[in-house]
Amino acid sequence: FPDGQIEKQGTFRGGDFVGRWVFWHRNGQRKAEVEYRDGNRTEIGKWNERGEPLHAAADPLDSYAPLRFSPR
């Protein structure tokens, strides 16, 4: 985030998201955990800003979908 707080954390390999990625809300609560393997994304869990678990359909992970990374 612009204030320096971590928004997401994971590994890039060859420009791809790989392994487990963790995403956070602005308030520091965990937002989502996703596993990327062989170009496929598997949702591990999602949480609202209060840290309560969400159902998969409640907040799609489409904003986390890009599998390619282009450095600026």
Side-chain angles (χ1 to χ4, degrees):
F1 291 107
D3 63 2
Q5 184 173 323
I6 296 174
E7 180 178 3
K8 58 189 165 219
Q9 184 174 27
T11 302
F12 286 107
R13 186 175 302 130
D16 295 326
F17 285 43
V18 292
R20 186 167 294 203
W21 277 74
V22 181
F23 300 83
W24 287 275
H25 290 284
R26 283 192 159 280
N27 67 2
Q29 288 287 337
R30 183 174 46 175
K31 184 175 186 176
E33 287 190 32
V34 179
E35 180 80 22
Y36 292 93
R37 180 168 296 162
D38 299 325
N40 297 307
R41 182 187 72 214
T42 302
E43 180 180 302
I44 296 169
K46 293 189 301 187
W47 298 265
N48 65 22
E49 290 183 352
R50 294 181 307 272
E52 301 165 336
L54 294 173
H55 296 287
D59 183 21
L61 283 173
D62 291 337
S63 61
Y64 309 119
L67 296 176
R68 299 292 300 172
F69 174 73
S70 299
R72 291 182 185 205

